[in-house]
Amino acid sequence: LKFIFGPCAVPALDLVDHRSVTRVTSPSGRTAYQVLGSSGKLYTCYSSCHFCTCPAFGFTVLQKSESLLCKHILAVYLSQAMGACQELTVSEEQLTSILLADEEDEG
């Protein structure tokens, strides 16, 4: 994994080991993932469009194109493959609040 994904592979595996990935699902079937980062901050990831709200994703993936993903996205993919995601079902309103909270943090 380290050969393919570089330096984010080991930290991503650590997040999976600590069961830091939660799949958040609403009754309509909308899904997002929340990853509790090593810093204690909660990041929202979208596997369907390959996006994470963490600063590393914005900088190394989007701005500098130095990497294909951050450790949080990789942890989501690994957790999905291993069946290691925590599961949380929320209302449509709660999911909307989760998604809007990330926008407010950025702006």
Side-chain angles (χ1 to χ4, degrees), residues 22-106:
T22 302
R23 183 171 74 170
V24 183
T25 307
S26 70
S28 68
R30 293 190 307 162
T31 300
Y33 291 84
Q34 289 192 313
V35 180
L36 182 61
S38 53
S39 66
K41 184 158 174 36
L42 200 59
Y43 299 105
T44 302
C45 300
Y46 310 94
S47 62
S48 59
C49 63
H50 189 79
F51 182 80
C52 179
T53 58
C54 77
F57 186 85
F59 187 69
T60 60
V61 177
L62 298 179
Q63 285 184 333
K64 298 188 88 179
S65 298
E66 290 178 351
S67 181
L68 296 174
L69 41 69
C70 65
K71 67 183 179 181
H72 309 108
I73 290 275
L74 182 55
V76 166
Y77 293 146
L78 292 172
S79 292
Q80 286 175 325
M82 297 166 59
C85 290
Q86 305 277 358
E87 298 288 336
L88 177 63
T89 302
V90 298
S91 69
E92 297 297 332
E93 293 80 14
Q94 289 170 312
L95 184 59
T96 300
S97 293
I98 290 169
L99 301 179
L100 290 177
D102 288 323
E103 286 183 9
E104 290 169 3
D105 288 345
E106 294 169 6

